[in-house]
Amino acid sequence: MARRPTIADVAKLAGVSRATVSFVLNNRPGVAADTQQRVRSAAEELGWTPSSSARALSTGRVRAVGLVLAREPELLGTDPFFPAFMAGIETVISETGDGLMLQMSRPENEVDTYRRLAADRRVDGVFLTDLRTGDPRPALVAELGLPAVAVGAGAGTGLATVNLDDRPAVRKAVHHLAGLGHRDIAYVAGPEEFVHARRRRQAWSEALAEAGLPEGTLLPGGFTAEGGARATRMLLERPAPPTAIVYGNDLSATAGMAVAQDAGLRLPEDLSVVGFDDVPLASYTNPPMTTCRANPVSWGRASAQALVELIETGTTADVELEPAALVVRGSTGPAPVR
């Protein structure tokens, strides 16, 4: 049986974004006439037609997509990842005429938050981020009939996914440090219940074994500045502190760098530091931070394109982004002689 053509196929043939295709095929203004003609010709050539589920979904749309974050509201402004992720979303939905509804929720109220969004028809679909082991949300959104894209979840959710393999960059970070002579490489981890935090921690542990190094010290950091600072103090208070620390994200790494410098350590002469995400601030720390580039803007853009297509057509393909890459800057250097 031949595969049904998708919006992605039309976009590729017409040489435009999927969001632009959605804009044209839903007769919304703002697209140049020659672009509209290319899109409609491509759709006709491919035999694209909206599915019956897509017609149902598009009836009475509220023109909003939702992002529910189960964390304290005050923490959102301190973590640069999500503002960048939302900026990527906005680059797409600004073309489609949709809005982004951000809903903060305490973890114990998370399920009720999704139920309210669906019951009140406040959004047409949602992004699921920070997927956890045994996460109830994929089954919940299926029960609610709420279109959803799982971000960074890996396989097995039953939902459309937008993934990025973060493990190669973490492994390269450990091998980079080992090549500089570091033998004691600690790790400050994100919340263990998060699938992506667990992947990064496992990659650190596996890379130590690959490099023939002993298991390093593992401490929780929670992806927060406070957690990163607290873990760094504990590591530096050890009788034999590590010579290098890899952090689960840039926010905890930035705080760790400040703690180390307040303690009189020179970076990287006395301690090497590696973060994860490569948020804009990472290249402006002192010294500039070696980190793993995941490009949250691209995550947001790809996630929004997938969700818009899912809402408009009832289907979308999984997306695998370029793996995270190690970006070497001034916060890593040769291991100190002790």
Side-chain angles (χ1 to χ4, degrees):
M1 182 177 176
R3 181 176 69 88
R4 183 188 184 92
T6 68
I7 276 186
D9 298 323
V10 177
K12 183 177 180 180
L13 183 59
V16 297
S17 70
R18 291 184 294 188
T20 299
V21 172
S22 173
F23 215 75
V24 172
L25 297 180
N26 283 279
N27 299 311
R28 290 193 290 275
V31 180
D34 60 335
T35 302
Q36 291 187 45
Q37 182 58 45
R38 284 208 319 276
V39 169
R40 296 188 188 283
S41 295
E44 182 177 356
E45 180 178 336
L46 292 171
W48 179 90
T49 56
S51 65
S52 57
S53 59
R55 291 191 185 96
L57 285 168
S58 62
T59 301
R61 276 194 62 189
V62 295
R63 307 230 65 86
V65 291
L67 175 61
V68 178
L69 298 181
R71 57 184 65 204
E72 301 295 333
E74 58 269 20
L75 294 180
L76 181 62
T78 65
D79 187 345
F81 176 86
F82 277 105
F85 178 75
M86 288 186 282
I89 292 173
E90 288 289 351
T91 64
V92 173
I93 63 174
S94 62
E95 292 187 46
T96 63
D98 293 307
L100 174 63
M101 173 173 285
L102 175 63
Q103 185 78 52
M104 305 300 293
S105 171
R106 297 190 182 279
E108 63 270 20
N109 299 328
E110 188 177 39
V111 169
D112 289 339
T113 300
Y114 285 96
R115 290 192 180 280
R116 283 198 305 273
L117 287 175
D120 297 343
R121 293 191 55 81
R122 297 167 66 187
V123 297
D124 299 307
V126 292
F127 304 99
L128 300 187
T129 62
D130 288 342
L131 271 289
R132 303 181 293 272
T133 303
D135 201 308
R137 290 178 294 167
L140 175 65
V141 294
E143 171 198 332
L144 297 173
L146 193 59
V149 169
V151 182
T157 64
L159 300 175
T161 61
V162 177
N163 288 314
L164 176 148
D165 193 351
D166 38 23
R167 295 168 296 182
V170 176
R171 286 197 181 95
K172 286 181 181 178
V174 172
H175 286 289
H176 167 66
L177 293 167
L180 291 170
H182 293 274
R183 312 299 296 171
D184 187 352
I185 304 172
Y187 190 73
V188 175
E192 181 68 9
E193 67 269 21
F194 289 170
V195 172
H196 60 292
R198 183 173 296 185
R199 278 200 310 260
R200 294 174 196 175
R201 188 263 298 163
Q202 289 174 337
W204 161 78
S205 181
E206 291 166 359
L208 289 176
E210 292 166 1
L213 298 179
E215 185 72 21
T217 303
L218 170 68
L219 289 178
F223 284 161
T224 67
E226 180 183 3
R230 181 174 56 252
T232 304
R233 290 190 191 98
M234 293 175 66
L235 289 169
L236 297 182
E237 288 169 357
R238 295 174 60 203
T243 62
I245 307 174
V246 180
Y247 293 79
N249 72 348
D250 287 345
L251 180 60
S252 57
T254 302
M257 290 174 66
V259 166
Q261 290 168 327
D262 285 346
L265 297 182
R266 299 166 301 159
L267 274 63
E269 292 84 357
D270 301 318
L271 177 71
S272 286
V273 166
V274 178
F276 193 102
D277 283 332
D278 195 27
V279 299
L281 178 64
S283 60
Y284 293 99
T285 58
N286 184 24
M289 187 192 302
T290 294
T291 187
C292 303
R293 176 174 292 156
N295 198 338
V297 174
S298 291
W299 272 40
R301 184 182 303 116
S303 299
Q305 288 172 339
L307 186 56
V308 167
E309 182 172 349
L310 180 62
I311 292 168
E312 297 286 359
T313 73
T315 184
T316 189
D318 292 342
V319 178
E320 189 68 34
L321 299 172
E322 287 291 321
L326 179 66
V327 180
V328 177
R329 297 193 181 104
S331 68
T332 51
V337 177
R338 292 179 174 173

